[in-house]
Amino acid sequence: MKGLIVVDMQKDFCYPEGALYGGDRVYGVIKPLVRFIDAFRTSGDEVIYTMDWHREDDVEFKIWPSHCIEHSEGAEIVEELKPEKNDFVVKKRKYTAFFGTDLDMFLREKNIEEIYLAGVLANICVLHTAADAVLRGYNVTVVKDCIEALSDYDLEYALRHMENILKCEIVESEEILKK
Ligand code: ZN
């Protein structure tokens, strides 16, 4: 069984009015993701969403401006990618979607060993989630055109790290959909 993890495609990161909007390049991930998520649902594989989910006094706001406050509109998944009834949604406080969440339990219950990773930001929550997944023994494929960062540099180093150090497969969504 395969699982697609869609990382933090939330209004605060993806919409221009969001608290930590990542710009056109982040907004641009929505379109290829719509198609990719659709294909996953059609094939009966699991679609998992992560949501950055903070209290107003979260320690992370010593590093970043306030964002994704629990139950706020900015914390919602973008309208284009709304989770469906059977999708699994993980609320997280840290960069990795595994820490302090039941993601690992869910994946094991569903016998998911192959993880596809997409979303934002490539060098922060995607990278940390990839590392955590690899260390736990999952096979991780990163969907190259469905991740983004705030700059070419950040995207490049995230991809290099995931490919060379974590030994993730880096593949375009088109290639995966052809299979
Ligand atoms: Zn955060």
Side-chain angles (χ1 to χ4, degrees), residues 114-150:
E114 264 184 73
I115 290 175
Y116 290 75
L117 259 187
V120 296
L121 291 169
N123 59 318
I124 307 177
C125 292
V126 175
L127 175 63
H128 283 262
T129 299
D132 222 340
V134 167
L135 297 178
R136 287 163 196 262
Y138 295 98
N139 293 318
V140 178
T141 300
V142 177
V143 191
K144 193 177 178 185
D145 53 315
C146 293
I147 65 168
E148 258 304 348
L150 298 182

Side-chain angles (χ1 to χ4, degrees), residues 52 54 60 67:
D52 220 16
H54 298 296
E60 197 181 281
H67 60 276

Side-chain angles (χ1 to χ4, degrees), residues 16 95 114 173:
Y95 298 155
E114 264 184 73
S173 60

Side-chain angles (χ1 to χ4, degrees), residues 146-166:
C146 293
I147 65 168
E148 258 304 348
L150 298 182
S151 69
D152 288 341
Y153 176 85
D154 288 345
L155 180 61
E156 255 337 284
Y157 104 64
L159 284 166
R160 282 178 65 103
H161 191 90
M162 290 189 284
E163 183 166 24
N164 299 329
I165 312 299
L166 300 175

